[in-house]
Amino acid sequence: MKRRIIVTAAAMAAVIGFAGPAQAATASVQGSVTSSTTYYTTARTITTGGTNIYLKVNPRTVDIKVFWYKCGDRSVRGTAVNFWSHESGRKLIGSNFVSGTNFCLAASGDIGQGSRTWSGKLDWNVRS
């Protein structure tokens, strides 16, 4: 007599060792930029290894560059990502972070004199 075993997808995932999706964290971000780099000191923590960080910047009148950096150590940082004034999509600004990493954001704009404000939405603890 043959026996058939029915395995649910959840049970199979547990056997294989797949982790569930990371709990995404979201925050509204805003600041002022000048032609030099502005370092924002709000720390955010990666809680799931392999995490990606995404940023969507709201429409604005200035092109800006944004990057992540390790809070307290500005020498550890990501590559600057350009957000052109006519763009509105979400962009990846960092990937594959280790759980427990604290990061902050920095930005600069090509605006000459004065400063301009910007705002957007930051998502982290995202796997894709």
Side-chain angles (χ1 to χ4, degrees), residues 49-66:
T51 285
N52 296 329
I53 302 171
Y54 295 91
L55 178 63
K56 180 178 181 179
V57 177
N58 294 330
R60 68 223 157 274
T61 60
V62 63
D63 299 334
I64 64 172
K65 294 179 182 181
V66 180

Side-chain angles (χ1 to χ4, degrees), residues 49-53 92 94-98:
T51 285
N52 296 329
I53 302 171
L92 178 69
S95 62
N96 203 25
F97 287 86
V98 175

Side-chain angles (χ1 to χ4, degrees), residues 36-91:
S36 61
T37 302
T38 302
Y39 291 89
Y40 306 104
T41 58
T42 302
R44 293 165 174 93
T45 303
I46 302 295
T47 59
T48 304
T51 285
N52 296 329
I53 302 171
Y54 295 91
L55 178 63
K56 180 178 181 179
V57 177
N58 294 330
R60 68 223 157 274
T61 60
V62 63
D63 299 334
I64 64 172
K65 294 179 182 181
V66 180
F67 62 90
W68 66 268
Y69 72 95
K70 183 177 177 183
C71 301
D73 184 358
R74 293 180 182 173
S75 68
V76 178
R77 60 178 271 184
T79 302
V81 176
N82 290 315
F83 288 87
W84 307 111
S85 60
H86 63 277
E87 292 179 325
S88 62
R90 182 174 93 151
K91 292 186 178 185

